Amino acid sequence: MDMLDKMVSWEDGTLAPSAVIEMMQELIDSGEIEHQSDTYQFMARALVDAALCRPRLVH
């Protein structure tokens, strides 16, 4: 499943919780989360705060 399919599934509520975490981590790691809507950014922040995702490492 590509990223767009994952995002659509998440918005539909059909993406498995483990896949949501994986998708958000991919968006965080790539920096794409910064270009997403507030809903995505809030979810990513909540997952980082819950230690389910890692914050992006910027070198």
Side-chain angles (χ1 to χ4, degrees), residues 20-53:
V20 172
I21 293 167
E22 180 182 306
M23 176 190 73
M24 290 296 175
Q25 189 65 61
E26 288 178 43
L27 289 170
I28 292 166
D29 290 345
S30 69
E32 271 303 305
I33 195 65
E34 296 172 18
H35 304 288
Q36 301 304 316
S37 69
D38 288 346
T39 303
Y40 281 83
Q41 292 182 29
F42 290 142
M43 176 59 84
R45 173 55 49 204
L47 291 171
V48 168
D49 290 347
L52 295 170
C53 285

Side-chain angles (χ1 to χ4, degrees), residues 2-16:
D2 69 10
M3 182 57 73
L4 183 57
D5 290 334
K6 289 178 189 178
M7 294 169 81
V8 169
S9 293
W10 180 61
E11 291 178 16
D12 288 348
T14 59
L15 193 61

